Amino acid sequence: MARRNDHSRDEIREMALKAAETIILEKGKDGLSARKIAQEIGYTVGTLYLIFKNLDDLILHVNGRTLERLYEKLSSEQQSSSDSKTALLQLAKTYINFAENESNRWKVVFEHRAQTDNTTPEWYQERVGKMFTAVETHLSRLAPHKSPSEIKDAARALWGGVHGICMLALTDNLDITGVESADTLTQSLINNYLAGFTAG
Amino acid sequence: MARRNDHSRDEIREMALKAAETIILEKGKDGLSARKIAQEIGYTVGTLYLIFKNLDDLILHVNGRTLERLYEKLSSEQQSSSDSKTALLQLAKTYINFAENESNRWKVVFEHRAQTDNTTPEWYQERVGKMFTAVETHLSRLAPHKSPSEIKDAARALWGGVHGICMLALTDNLDITGVESADTLTQSLINNYLAGFTAG
DNA sequence: ACCTGAACACCGTTCAAGT
DNA sequence: ACCTGAACACCGTTCAAGT
């Protein structure tokens, strides 16, 4: 063995990330290990360390892809919305559906973020930031008299709120039943928040 | 060795939970292991398994104690509040301060919840439920015309929102700076939400 | 240059055996 | 009855050695 050259570095990289995503999908983060990924793609553990700094780095890239997929979902649904309020409600619906459908992958984004306190690369921060841009756009349409920093804060308050309901629902900490209720709660949050925000 | 009887079962149990809390405080969940707990309390790993079902069970009890401490903090601050709106804002402040001060322990509550999907014991659910009761009480005072189920939903929407901002701030996912901002955002969330909720 | 295989220092969990 | 010690089946990570 050694010197096989069956796959390019980029191919191995892609295979590894795909394998990791599949394992997380099926077994959650606890089911993931470098050895399992390696076995899945037909290489040795050592090979993974030629491509990724370590397992945390690999998971960081998995999470980057998850955020990318969410962003695609969010941006594909926001063109034909009549008004900005409806658009925001629709964004929240999409957000929650994504989190529910990709539940295991979605949880990893935040579990992993919580544990490793190394500085996050800029490409990652950018993807998180993109998720707020659409919200800010709609909010500034609904409240044109607000300053940019007020809009920025509002987007973070409101979307942090949507996220919180979503995560608590996903982890069964809200004493509610499933997605349908999570959806009801976010709609209530957004409607009431907007009532206060646009009036104030 | 064997048959030492230096400590009662309950004493060992308490020592183990305390040791686990200290390790989590200092190194986070990743720094925790059964072997380290055992070493810290001067017993063998095997002993831990005579008292706890497994490490997940031990962590569950650590989390139960964390929730209990939060509840004490929350209930100690809510006596003299003039009106219910101020009381809710104060509750959120206390909540965020607790999460920030006990950051490592607080994260474990939700990381662990996210990974193990075994049914949670009722004593745990009760502690989570207690956290919502105070919120419900204040909300029903502010909006006496709402039905109990509307109040319940509102409490979950609003507090899920507070929680979301709190967690995103703690994990650096909000592009804001620290606790102060998390506090500003929750105050904004609560104020605007209440404006809509009490008017509707 | 590319990849392996074996090593190192860890894990969680179990359970026969010691007192 | 209470606790140990050693075992089992796993980990992440590194790196000399093979082709």
Side-chain angles (χ1 to χ4, degrees):
Chain A
M1 306 107 219
R3 190 205 266 269
R4 313 188 335 183
N5 244 338
D6 290 349
H7 305 278
S8 74
R9 229 176 165 71
D10 278 355
E11 280 170 337
I12 298 179
R13 188 191 163 81
E14 177 66 21
M15 288 160 66
L17 290 174
K18 270 227 162 73
E21 284 175 334
T22 305
I23 294 170
I24 289 171
L25 179 72
E26 287 170 358
K27 320 247 181 187
K29 194 198 179 189
D30 280 358
L32 188 73
S33 78
R35 282 176 156 94
K36 279 184 197 156
I37 296 170
Q39 198 194 351
E40 194 73 29
I41 66 174
Y43 279 82
T44 313
V45 242
T47 304
L48 290 177
Y49 286 83
L50 298 173
I51 295 170
F52 299 96
K53 204 176 140 234
N54 50 38
L55 192 61
D56 273 354
D57 183 40
L58 192 155
I59 295 175
L60 186 70
H61 283 90
V62 169
N63 288 343
R65 286 154 67 108
T66 304
L67 289 177
E68 203 61 58
R69 265 202 308 282
L70 168 62
Y71 183 69
E72 281 163 20
K73 276 258 161 49
L74 290 180
S75 53
S76 75
E77 298 214 12
Q78 80 187 94
Q79 66 282 45
S80 62
S81 307
S82 36
D83 64 312
S84 281
K85 186 178 170 183
T86 319
L88 283 173
L89 293 169
Q90 183 55 47
L91 278 180
K93 268 206 170 85
T94 308
Y95 188 91
I96 287 176
N97 277 334
F98 181 87
E100 168 74 8
N101 289 337
E102 310 228 18
S103 164
N104 273 349
R105 287 171 184 160
W106 185 242
K107 285 182 208 162
V108 176
V109 175
F110 297 94
E111 287 166 28
H112 190 253
R113 205 76 185 74
Q115 291 180 349
T116 62
D117 39 11
N118 353 345
T119 49
T120 320
E122 345 73 62
W123 62 262
Y124 192 98
Q125 293 283 20
E126 271 172 38
R127 285 178 204 192
V128 175
K130 277 205 291 185
M131 296 178 17
F132 285 110
T133 310
V135 179
E136 288 178 19
T137 307
H138 291 301
L139 281 178
S140 64
R141 273 188 207 142
L142 288 169
H145 55 294
K146 300 278 188 181
S147 75
S149 90
E150 285 174 312
I151 293 291
K152 192 190 165 193
D153 281 358
R156 272 146 191 82
L158 186 57
W159 224 250
V162 170
H163 171 74
I165 294 169
C166 183
M167 288 306 281
L168 289 183
L170 239 56
T171 52
D172 267 353
N173 271 97
L174 266 187
D175 186 24
I176 57 171
T177 52
V179 216
E180 201 186 341
S181 301
D183 205 54
T184 310
L185 293 186
T186 50
Q187 305 297 304
S188 144
L189 185 75
I190 294 174
N191 277 319
N192 286 321
Y193 183 87
L194 287 183
F197 187 66
T198 54
Chain B
M1 308 112 215
R3 186 202 274 265
R4 314 188 334 185
N5 242 339
D6 290 348
H7 305 277
S8 74
R9 228 175 165 73
D10 278 354
E11 281 170 337
I12 298 179
R13 188 190 163 81
E14 177 67 21
M15 288 159 67
L17 290 174
K18 271 228 163 71
E21 285 174 334
T22 305
I23 294 170
I24 289 171
L25 178 73
E26 287 169 358
K27 319 247 182 188
K29 195 198 177 188
D30 280 359
L32 188 72
S33 80
R35 283 175 156 93
K36 279 184 197 154
I37 296 170
Q39 198 193 349
E40 194 73 30
I41 66 174
Y43 278 82
T44 313
V45 241
T47 303
L48 290 177
Y49 286 82
L50 298 173
I51 294 171
F52 300 97
K53 205 176 139 233
N54 50 38
L55 193 60
D56 273 354
D57 183 40
L58 191 155
I59 295 175
L60 185 70
H61 283 89
V62 169
N63 288 344
R65 287 154 66 107
T66 305
L67 289 177
E68 203 62 59
R69 263 202 310 280
L70 168 62
Y71 184 69
E72 281 164 20
K73 276 257 162 51
L74 290 178
S75 52
S76 75
E77 298 215 13
Q78 80 188 93
Q79 66 282 43
S80 61
S81 308
S82 35
D83 63 314
S84 281
K85 186 178 170 181
T86 317
L88 283 173
L89 293 169
Q90 183 55 46
L91 279 180
K93 267 207 170 87
T94 308
Y95 189 90
I96 287 177
N97 276 334
F98 181 87
E100 168 75 9
N101 289 337
E102 310 227 17
S103 164
N104 273 351
R105 287 171 185 161
W106 185 240
K107 286 182 207 162
V108 176
V109 175
F110 297 95
E111 287 166 29
H112 190 253
R113 206 75 185 73
Q115 291 179 350
T116 63
D117 39 13
N118 352 344
T119 49
T120 321
E122 345 72 63
W123 62 261
Y124 191 98
Q125 293 283 18
E126 272 172 38
R127 286 178 203 192
V128 175
K130 277 205 293 186
M131 295 178 20
F132 285 110
T133 310
V135 179
E136 288 177 19
T137 306
H138 291 302
L139 282 178
S140 64
R141 272 187 209 143
L142 289 169
H145 56 295
K146 300 278 188 183
S147 75
S149 91
E150 284 175 312
I151 293 291
K152 191 189 166 194
D153 281 358
R156 273 145 191 82
L158 186 57
W159 224 250
V162 170
H163 170 74
I165 293 169
C166 182
M167 289 306 281
L168 288 183
L170 239 56
T171 53
D172 267 353
N173 273 97
L174 267 187
D175 185 24
I176 57 171
T177 51
V179 218
E180 201 186 341
S181 301
D183 205 55
T184 310
L185 292 187
T186 51
Q187 305 297 305
S188 143
L189 184 76
I190 293 174
N191 277 320
N192 286 320
Y193 184 87
L194 287 183
F197 186 68
T198 53

